[in-house]
């Protein structure tokens, strides 16, 4: 099927738009460490059940396991920890804007490590898409609600978001290297990445005293539990699996760029769910980003 990688990238953007809203609300209520660790544990549980029931092929080479483990550590343990902290410090709007660096990071690393080249139309498409994303993100205003607050830009928050962008870009490269070694089921690959990240993240979080009584914390805040469960389904369970399928069939830079349109996909959600008014600037940015994505489909 032509452009299957690009279509998986679009699906990823749709799934991540829902998880971004859910996780932002959850981190505000119980903190970034609680949400980040709990959602990975939840997603690992979903994946173990699915892999066992569906009897997916579990035969991987040692090299594939190593690449996926490194990818999980960089992407989940480091990258997502930084991103969740950025959500807490400067909010989803500015965090997602800075995360637009991830496709550029991924494209450069893919060129150096994997030897992937992007056509001139592809380069133009990346620039146009990220320009549209930037216009949309900057055109939105954060408004205080019961579950969110207006965030102020801080140096620490910006640093966290930049590190998150590098974590996401680097994680995609190692995942692509694993897929180049041989065929892997997307859900199995995601499970390995999550388990590898939890081997580091869980003991560090517990020993540092930042991950305490998670069951009690979630039980005492039903809304935080609901947001974390929904986010874990749309994010690490389905969204991350879809992103791995995307880079399996498409060039990393192209796939990462389409996935970066998450803020565009979020527009209908924030309009209808959170009753946020959409400005003409946001609508224009969405059209520009859509044009850029269309350019990415050109040969």
């Amino acid at each position: 099927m032509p452009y299957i990688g690009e279509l998986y990238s679009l699906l990823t953007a749709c799934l991540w738009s829902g998880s971004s809203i859910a996780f932002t609300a959850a981190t505000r209520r119980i903190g970034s460490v609680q949400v980040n660790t709990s959602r990975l544990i939840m997603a690992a549980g979903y994946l173990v059940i699915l892999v066992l029931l569906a009897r997916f092929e579990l035969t991987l080479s040692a090299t594939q396991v190593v690449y996926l483990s490194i990818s999980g550590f960089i992407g989940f343990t480091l990258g997502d920890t930084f991103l969740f902290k950025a959500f807490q410090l400067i909010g989803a709007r500015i965090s997602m804007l800075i995360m637009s660096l991830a496709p550029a990071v991924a494209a450069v690393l893919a060129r150096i490590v994997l030897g992937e080249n992007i056509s001139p139309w592809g380069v133009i498409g990346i620039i146009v898409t990220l320009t549209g994303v930037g216009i949309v993100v900057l055109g939105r205003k954060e408004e205080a609600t019961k579950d969110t607050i207006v965030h102020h830009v801080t140096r620490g928050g910006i640093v966290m978001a930049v590190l998150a962008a590098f974590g996401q870009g680097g994680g995609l490269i190692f995942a692509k290297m694993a897929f180049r070694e041989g065929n892997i089921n997307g859900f199995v690959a995601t499970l390995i990445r999550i388990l590898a990240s939890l081997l580091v993240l869980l003991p560090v979080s517990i020993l540092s005293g930042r991950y305490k009584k998670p069951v009690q914390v979630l039980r005492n805040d039903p809304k935080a539990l609901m947001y974390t469960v929904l986010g874990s389904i749309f994010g690490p369970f389905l969204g991350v699996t879809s992103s791995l399928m995307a880079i399996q069939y498409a060039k990393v830079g192209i796939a990462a760029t389409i996935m970066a349109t998450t803020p565009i996909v979020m527009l209908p959600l924030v309009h209808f769910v959170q009753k946020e008014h959409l400005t003409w600037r946001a609508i224009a940015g969405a059209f520009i980003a859509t044009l850029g994505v269309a350019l990415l489909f050109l040969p």
Side-chain angles (χ1 to χ4, degrees):
M1 179 178 177
Y3 302 116
I4 187 171
E6 288 81 357
L7 293 175
Y8 269 119
S9 300
L10 287 173
L11 175 60
T12 302
C14 293
L15 292 167
W16 281 356
S17 65
S19 67
S20 295
I21 292 176
F23 286 144
T24 300
T27 54
R28 178 56 192 163
R29 300 181 74 92
I30 60 175
S32 60
V33 175
Q34 287 282 357
V35 174
N36 190 28
T37 307
S38 295
R39 57 114 193 195
L40 289 179
I41 293 174
M42 290 178 183
Y46 310 150
L47 287 164
V48 168
I49 293 172
L50 177 62
V51 168
L52 291 178
L53 290 178
R55 297 183 179 180
F56 290 136
E57 176 61 51
L58 296 175
T59 304
L60 284 77
S61 69
T63 304
Q64 287 176 313
V65 173
V66 170
Y67 283 149
L68 289 172
S69 298
I70 295 174
S71 173
F73 175 74
I74 295 174
F76 288 125
T77 307
L78 297 180
D80 281 0
T81 297
F82 292 137
L83 180 59
F84 275 67
K85 192 62 179 178
F87 280 164
Q88 190 175 19
L89 293 174
I90 58 178
R93 182 174 69 97
I94 300 300
S95 297
M96 295 309 294
L97 174 65
I98 299 173
M99 280 294 290
S100 295
L101 288 171
V105 172
V108 171
L109 290 177
R111 177 69 181 90
I112 297 172
V113 178
L114 304 174
E116 288 188 353
N117 292 314
I118 299 177
S119 69
W121 279 118
V123 174
I124 295 173
I126 290 174
I127 295 173
V128 172
T129 300
L130 298 184
T131 298
V133 171
I135 292 173
V136 168
V137 173
L138 290 177
R140 289 182 54 205
K141 295 181 180 180
E142 288 187 312
E143 299 176 357
T145 67
K146 286 192 297 183
D147 297 315
T148 61
I149 62 170
V150 175
H151 296 84
H152 300 284
V153 178
T154 64
R155 182 180 301 175
I158 292 175
V159 170
M160 291 294 107
V162 170
L163 291 174
F166 276 84
Q168 185 180 101
L172 290 176
I173 296 301
F174 279 98
K176 180 79 171 187
M177 292 169 69
F179 280 110
R180 282 192 166 187
E181 289 286 318
N183 187 49
I184 312 172
N185 178 273
F187 289 105
V188 173
T190 302
L191 177 59
I192 293 174
R193 293 182 75 218
I194 289 178
L195 292 178
S197 68
L198 283 173
L199 285 176
V200 178
L201 183 63
L202 188 56
V204 169
S205 299
I206 293 174
L207 292 175
S208 66
R210 301 177 67 188
Y211 191 60
K212 297 179 179 178
K213 302 178 179 178
V215 175
Q216 181 177 334
V217 169
L218 292 171
R219 181 183 297 168
N220 292 339
D221 194 331
K223 280 195 173 182
L225 173 60
M226 178 188 69
Y227 289 135
T228 305
V229 169
L230 288 175
S232 66
I233 293 173
F234 291 130
F237 179 40
L238 298 178
V240 171
T241 301
S242 178
S243 73
L244 294 182
M245 299 303 293
I247 64 169
Q248 182 178 10
Y249 295 105
K251 292 182 178 179
V252 175
I254 299 296
T257 300
I258 297 175
M259 287 186 267
T261 61
T262 297
I264 307 295
V265 182
M266 286 173 65
L267 290 179
L269 288 176
V270 298
H271 178 65
F272 292 107
V273 177
Q274 298 182 342
K275 308 302 180 184
E276 181 178 313
H277 175 69
L278 298 183
T279 65
W280 284 108
R281 183 175 180 177
I283 295 173
F287 276 109
I288 293 173
T290 302
L291 173 62
V293 171
L295 293 175
L296 295 175
F297 282 83
L298 294 177

